[in-house]
Amino acid sequence: ECGQTCPIIFIGTDCVTMSNELLNNASRDAARGHAHICPADDGGYVALALPTACPQSVFHQVEWSTSNTCDSQTNAISRAGLTCRQGPKLGDVDEEQDYIDLTAQLQQHAPLRLLCPRVSRLLLPDVQ
């Protein structure tokens, strides 16, 4: 039961390297009244945590689906009167090149394959 302090977390499902630690940090910041955003390599963002009582204006004038989405989201959060903490920049899979890059990263880095085992099995069925 969260009561009034349960944060709202938006998660990009196309970011296979998102960790529990990242989500825990974002949730903790939001529970303390701060926004928390994790930028994507392409200028968007892969996660956004907000306090439960945040105003709807945190989404006003956000430039969606552009290389400036994360910056404009951060600006909207500031205009709404919230502080915004930033997590690490991560990659997501939006374009064909992102898929190619992710496949190459999975082939080269066993720890990454452990972080996202289902994706690894799908993209690299012959690699253990």
Side-chain angles (χ1 to χ4, degrees):
E1 216 84 16
C2 291
Q4 294 297 315
T5 61
C6 186
I8 302 162
I9 304 176
F10 299 90
I11 303 168
T13 59
D14 60 350
C15 177
V16 300
T17 58
M18 190 175 306
S19 67
N20 288 338
E21 179 183 6
L22 181 147
L23 294 175
N24 287 336
N25 289 339
S27 178
R28 195 169 19 260
D29 282 345
R32 293 176 179 154
H34 308 286
H36 184 109
I37 196 164
C38 293
D41 289 336
D42 61 7
Y45 56 90
V46 298
L48 174 64
L50 297 169
T52 303
C54 71
Q56 291 180 358
S57 61
V58 296
F59 295 110
H60 290 180
Q61 298 175 337
V62 174
E63 298 175 34
W64 299 109
S65 300
T66 72
S67 61
N68 197 40
T69 299
C70 186
D71 288 340
S72 69
Q73 179 67 77
T74 303
N75 290 336
I77 290 167
S78 295
R79 286 191 305 272
L82 293 172
T83 58
C84 189
R85 308 250 167 100
Q86 186 168 309
K89 185 182 283 190
L90 299 172
D92 58 4
V93 182
D94 294 324
E95 307 290 337
E96 181 179 5
Q97 188 61 49
D98 299 332
Y99 164 80
I100 293 167
D101 293 345
L102 175 61
T103 302
Q105 290 172 2
L106 289 170
Q107 287 174 332
Q108 295 170 5
H109 303 289
L112 182 58
R113 290 195 299 270
L114 294 174
L115 184 61
C116 49
R118 291 186 203 114
V119 171
S120 296
R121 283 193 301 272
L122 177 68
L123 298 181
L124 305 171
D126 298 330
V127 176
Q128 294 298 322

